[in-house]
Amino acid sequence: MRRVIWFTDLGRDDVSLVGGKNASLGELITRLGPAGVRVPDGFATTAEAYREFLDTPGLRKRIAAQLDRLREGEPLAEVGSAIRAAVLSTPLPSALERDLGEAYERLGGNVWRTDPDVAVRSSATAEDLPQASFAGQQETFLNVRGREALLDACRRCYASLFTDRAIDYRERMGFGQLSVALSVGVQLMVRSDLGGAGVVFTLDTETGFPEVVLISAAWGLGETVVSGQVDPDEYVVFKPLLKDPALNPVLQASVGPKRRKAVYAEQGLTRTVDTTPEERSRLVLNGTEVRTLAQWAVAVEEHYGCPMDLEWAKDGPRGELFVVQARPETVQSRRRGAVLRRYRLTGTGERLVDGIAVGEAVGVGPVCALADPVDLERFQAGAVLVTAITDPDWEPLMKRAAAIVTDHGGRTSHAAIVSRELGVPAVVGTGRATTVLADWQQVTVSCAEGAEGHVYAGQVDFEESETDLGLLPQTRTRVMLNLADPAAAFRWWRLPADGVGLARMEFIVAHQVRVHPMALVHPERLSPEDRRQVDALTEGYCDRTDYFVDRLAQGVALIAASRWPDPVIVRTSDFKTNEYARLVGGTPFEPVEANPMIGWRGASRYYDDRYREGFALECSALRKVRDELGLTNVVVMIPFCRTPQEGDRVLSEMAANELARGRNGLLVYVMAEIPSNILLAEQFSMRFDGFSIGSNDLTQLTLGVDRDSDLLAHLFDETDHAVTRSVESLIATAHAAGRPVGLCGQRPSNDPEFTRFLVQAGIDSVSVTPDSFATVKQHVAAAERS
């Protein structure tokens, strides 16, 4: 009987012998070690050794009796406790004790140490299979030293095969309780108590987006990360550009609080202590280490042929990285792929308020009406958020809501844009929701009945259906996405879109950066309170402007990576002065305008001495995304450019900031949202590589209608002949100059006839919010067939 086998003699086909965890360690050492992946040496006990232990007189019978009690209705906690007590009170077979002792002594000799500190890990023979995950159900013991401590840890691993969770899981999954065996892995410790540790996934764990490596890192031993005791640092690395040594495709590097860390205890095993303020504010890994881990993870994924979940550790004294575990990822890999859910009401209820429908879903929950977003604890996950109006401060609550209802706002309001990207149904512009809807009243929020959304009393029945995205028609006209929130970008990766037609930089600034760029350039102009807020947000940056560039670049990069290599059109900042003033430190730099909608916004700011340095930071962020990270699919778009001469001045500013049109293949588009853009389209075509019609502003300025005015809503019509003639004229002139034209707006999703008009006029692309994509794709296909 083989009771102990060295990792170097194991491979991935030995799961039945030593479990998935230990078989994988053997595979990593033998097959990926030559590629540079470092794995600590060690050995494993076999399933045969475990069964020999179970055959200790009376033990198997005692366990079976307790399991019979469970099936007769005895509490799981009592049964599990009794089984574990039986296992812990049973000595290991003498032959297994001998073989373990000899292997442990040899392991110490290999590294010239007596009684080396080792990690003792449980590895069930059915764990880490693609169809089942036993991960985390059995125990691991760190910093085990000495022969007797090793034998005790081995027996405790055996007992952990019968934790309450493990027993319940096997019952539900249909695994025989005594047919699953346990192997114990004994592996040299990596002194990560003096360094750091964490986990690596070869996909995005929330969305299943497969083109990134997600790395978590904390100080000390890895148990705090695996168990969820700390909020770790997080790094997102883009796989497709990882092999180019000239690029640094780290899309995001976020500092986590890391308030605790696990270290060696004086009397053996481990203890948890507080981290220092310096440790909490500093990243655990440097850029080279992040790249190394990402490259190792990709190599492991390619070898196994499936998404992987790895654990890593950094030896503090030596500064070396190691992979200490690897298993197939079993959550996202099971999710159904290209399907889109839709909703339809099947019941009726009293209609309480109406407004503009955002999205096409239905949400049900108790009302929670809030005047401001500070009362986080009062808002329960799954409640319906009711408020007057939202801004970026509300987004943490919005992400937890079953639905959103506002008094004010239209289709282009903050609540509408963010809820679309989150996939949360919203009814905006109701006028009276905060006075009609009572706290904790159960309501149904329906956005599944067309352009108008309704809030019903009680829980109204509805049904969901799914669309196979693989069956969506092909179209000549490109259908693209409007995205603003980087956190939501990966969510839509399965949509067969042709890129991003509009990524709003100002939303990234408001949500990811929060500070007015000029406040970072000229902090001497800030009030003491604003200076305090800026210092808090930019902590750790010697040059405060680097904070703006890094945060903005990370946001743009996440959106660009989500659609690589298709084009992602990023519109430079288009805040109005009153919106800029609301950013931290913004007030000293923004004038008060009577009509900000047609005031100092867009292109007119970029060459003005009052904002030129802020625009330079925007250019630096975009240059970093394209040149350093390598995301050259980013197209820059200039908003609200009133004259061709103004376009020249903006392009000159960009060139001065090393973001020249044509450099490294850079395309620069211009928004077509002002009548002058239409009338002088030929001249604009000589300066820009393409146009994107902003239908809201174009309609507003063509008809002289404030798009946010409730009183004039009946006059705001994107299908008005004055607007459609402008669209036709622009397309014809731009095409004659060889320039593409797109349209970014919601009208194509609500109006098939408007879509038909655009297609017949020769539009090159339409860009819509993700929840409207399937509908618009079908509208476009129908229009192309007609």
Side-chain angles (χ1 to χ4, degrees):
M1 177 185 294
R2 292 189 297 174
R3 298 179 180 86
V4 172
I5 301 180
W6 288 84
F7 289 155
T8 50
D9 296 326
L10 293 170
R12 65 193 295 185
D13 295 329
D14 293 317
V15 173
S16 62
L17 183 63
V18 293
K21 189 178 299 180
N22 291 329
S24 186
L25 286 171
E27 185 78 7
L28 291 174
I29 289 175
T30 58
R31 302 298 296 276
L32 289 162
V37 178
R38 284 193 293 266
V39 181
D41 194 13
F43 56 86
T45 66
T46 64
E48 296 171 289
Y50 170 77
R51 295 188 181 100
E52 182 184 35
F53 171 70
L54 278 189
D55 288 336
T56 300
L59 179 58
R60 189 184 295 270
K61 187 173 182 180
R62 292 166 66 189
I63 294 172
Q66 292 297 328
L67 293 170
D68 288 340
R69 290 180 60 222
L70 175 67
R71 291 161 190 146
E72 291 168 0
E74 289 296 320
L76 173 62
E78 292 184 13
V79 169
S81 178
I83 294 175
R84 293 191 294 275
V87 172
L88 290 172
S89 63
T90 303
L92 295 176
S94 57
L96 177 57
E97 289 190 353
R98 179 198 66 220
D99 291 353
L100 275 170
E102 290 177 355
Y104 179 64
E105 183 177 355
R106 176 182 159 189
L107 182 63
N110 290 345
V111 292
W112 303 93
R113 298 208 309 263
T114 301
D115 290 345
D117 47 329
V118 294
V120 181
R121 307 180 191 277
S122 306
S123 179
T125 57
E127 77 174 334
D128 299 336
L129 302 176
Q131 70 272 21
S133 175
F134 284 57
Q137 293 183 15
Q138 283 79 54
E139 295 289 350
T140 290
F141 302 96
L142 304 179
N143 188 28
V144 176
R145 301 184 190 182
R147 181 177 183 277
E148 292 307 314
L150 173 62
L151 297 178
D152 179 63
C154 180
R155 188 165 52 248
R156 291 164 69 182
C157 284
Y158 283 168
S160 75
L161 188 59
F162 296 97
T163 61
D164 298 347
R165 176 187 171 191
I167 294 171
D168 179 66
Y169 182 81
R170 290 193 294 270
E171 287 290 298
R172 289 187 289 106
M173 296 294 291
F175 289 97
Q177 294 285 356
L178 291 175
S179 63
V180 175
L182 191 96
S183 167
V184 177
V186 179
Q187 186 179 41
L188 285 170
M189 281 291 296
V190 176
R191 290 303 305 266
S192 59
D193 61 307
L194 303 175
V199 297
V200 183
F201 286 91
T202 61
L203 47 62
D204 179 61
T205 54
E206 294 299 318
T207 66
F209 180 56
E211 299 300 331
V212 293
V213 174
L214 183 66
I215 302 172
S216 298
W219 299 111
L221 302 169
E223 61 187 46
T224 58
V225 178
V226 175
S227 63
Q229 295 178 51
V230 298
D231 294 323
D233 298 340
E234 287 192 352
Y235 310 81
V236 181
V237 185
F238 191 47
K239 292 180 191 175
L241 302 178
L242 189 56
K243 293 182 179 180
D244 188 338
L247 301 176
N248 177 31
V250 179
L251 305 179
Q252 190 171 45
S254 304
V255 178
K258 309 182 296 292
R259 301 187 191 283
R260 304 279 285 171
K261 67 177 180 180
V263 298
Y264 280 12
E266 289 79 1
Q267 303 301 319
L269 299 186
T270 66
R271 63 191 179 98
T272 304
V273 299
D274 291 337
T275 53
T276 65
E278 192 271 340
E279 287 174 323
R280 295 171 196 171
S281 63
R282 183 161 61 92
L283 288 168
V284 172
L285 297 171
N286 62 39
T288 301
E289 292 165 338
V290 170
R291 191 184 193 98
T292 296
L293 287 175
Q295 289 172 330
W296 286 358
V298 170
V300 172
E301 179 181 54
E302 290 175 350
H303 178 73
Y304 277 80
C306 64
M308 296 296 292
D309 167 8
L310 298 84
E311 294 181 25
W312 64 271
K314 177 183 176 181
D315 189 286
R318 292 184 292 172
E320 293 180 334
L321 294 170
F322 294 87
V323 172
V324 295
Q325 287 193 53
R327 63 180 72 88
E329 192 276 339
T330 56
V331 178
Q332 290 294 341
S333 56
R334 294 187 198 171
R335 288 186 58 182
R336 291 183 60 191
V339 295
L340 184 70
R341 289 185 176 180
R342 294 191 179 184
Y343 298 78
R344 185 175 72 86
L345 291 185
T346 57
T348 58
E350 178 189 358
R351 188 186 297 178
L352 302 175
V353 294
D354 306 315
I356 298 170
V358 179
E360 298 178 350
V362 176
V364 179
V367 167
C368 183
L370 296 175
D372 55 62
V374 297
D375 198 357
L376 292 175
E377 294 183 359
R378 182 169 173 265
F379 189 85
Q380 301 174 359
V384 173
L385 174 61
V386 176
T387 190
I389 196 167
T390 69
D391 59 35
D393 290 339
W394 288 88
E395 290 176 27
L397 290 178
M398 297 170 76
K399 292 176 181 178
R400 298 166 56 192
I404 298 164
V405 184
T406 68
D407 287 343
H408 309 297
R411 299 189 189 280
T412 59
S413 65
H414 176 271
I417 292 171
V418 173
S419 63
R420 286 190 193 105
E421 294 193 3
L422 294 174
V424 175
V427 176
V428 301
T430 64
R432 58 196 186 99
T434 55
T435 58
V436 173
L437 304 179
D439 267 353
W440 315 125
Q441 174 186 11
Q442 192 80 3
V443 297
T444 298
V445 179
S446 172
C447 297
E449 302 168 83
E452 190 173 48
H454 310 292
V455 180
Y456 298 94
Q459 183 170 337
V460 178
D461 292 335
F462 63 94
E463 64 181 15
E464 301 178 36
S465 61
E466 293 183 341
T467 300
D468 188 337
L469 296 175
L471 300 179
L472 287 177
Q474 297 291 318
T475 59
R476 297 186 305 275
T477 308
R478 290 180 296 164
V479 182
M480 306 173 80
L481 301 178
N482 293 338
L483 293 176
D485 185 358
F490 291 169
R491 177 181 176 188
W492 306 106
W493 69 272
R494 289 185 172 88
L495 291 177
D498 298 303
V500 172
L502 177 62
R504 298 175 176 88
M505 182 181 287
E506 64 270 15
F507 270 73
I508 302 174
V509 172
H511 184 65
Q512 303 280 94
V513 182
R514 298 174 54 194
V515 180
H516 195 292
M518 295 297 289
L520 300 171
V521 178
H522 292 289
E524 73 279 359
R525 296 177 58 182
L526 300 181
S527 68
E529 174 57 24
D530 281 347
R531 185 66 180 266
R532 185 194 64 77
Q533 291 188 57
V534 168
D535 288 346
L537 287 169
T538 60
E539 185 178 2
Y541 283 87
C542 296
D543 185 338
R544 299 294 197 244
T545 61
D546 288 343
Y547 165 82
F548 183 94
V549 173
D550 286 353
R551 299 284 288 183
L552 179 56
Q554 288 179 15
V556 172
L558 289 172
I559 295 175
S562 73
R563 304 313 311 184
W564 174 269
D566 292 323
V568 171
I569 301 173
V570 178
R571 187 179 70 188
T572 48
S573 64
D574 194 28
F575 282 123
K576 301 162 191 69
T577 50
N578 59 323
E579 295 169 333
Y580 263 119
R582 288 201 290 267
L583 295 174
V584 175
T587 303
F589 304 97
E590 298 300 327
V592 176
E593 296 185 293
N595 193 348
M597 182 72 77
I598 55 173
W600 191 42
R601 59 178 286 200
S604 62
R605 299 179 65 95
Y606 305 155
Y607 54 87
D608 191 305
D609 285 341
R610 292 171 294 177
Y611 189 74
R612 178 181 277 116
E613 293 162 300
F615 184 62
L617 298 183
E618 295 184 29
C619 292
S620 293
L622 292 168
R623 189 175 66 249
K624 181 175 183 177
V625 172
R626 287 180 50 85
D627 296 350
E628 295 182 26
L629 276 65
L631 292 161
T632 53
N633 60 329
V634 166
V635 176
V636 175
M637 184 160 65
I638 305 302
F640 229 75
C641 187
R642 292 173 168 94
T643 69
Q645 293 72 32
E646 186 167 64
D648 290 335
R649 299 186 71 173
V650 171
L651 291 170
S652 177
E653 287 293 325
M654 292 176 63
N657 287 288
E658 301 180 63
L659 198 67
R661 176 185 172 206
R663 180 179 179 271
N664 197 16
L666 174 63
L667 300 176
V668 183
Y669 284 17
V670 65
M671 290 289 292
E673 52 193 341
I674 306 170
S676 62
N677 302 141
I678 312 301
L679 296 170
L680 301 177
E682 184 176 359
Q683 295 183 45
F684 279 102
S685 295
M686 297 169 62
R687 293 159 170 83
F688 294 98
D689 299 296
F691 295 86
S692 181
I693 299 169
S695 56
N696 287 323
D697 271 340
L698 183 60
T699 302
Q700 172 178 247
L701 296 174
T702 299
L703 300 179
V705 173
D706 182 349
R707 73 189 195 189
D708 289 335
S709 171
D710 296 334
L711 295 175
L712 299 177
H714 64 289
L715 293 174
F716 188 89
D717 183 5
E718 290 152 290
T719 65
D720 186 275
H721 194 46
V723 179
T724 57
R725 282 192 63 182
S726 295
V727 171
E728 289 173 323
S729 173
L730 174 66
I731 292 173
T733 303
H735 283 181
R739 302 293 188 243
V741 180
L743 180 140
C744 48
Q746 281 304 108
R747 190 64 187 241
S749 63
N750 303 325
D751 187 349
E753 286 305 312
F754 187 67
T755 304
R756 186 186 306 276
F757 156 72
L758 292 173
V759 171
Q760 291 175 347
I763 199 84
D764 296 285
S765 66
V766 292
S767 185
V768 296
T769 53
D771 64 321
S772 304
F773 176 82
T775 298
V776 173
K777 191 74 169 173
Q778 292 164 340
H779 289 173
V780 169
E784 290 181 345
R785 291 193 300 267
S786 63

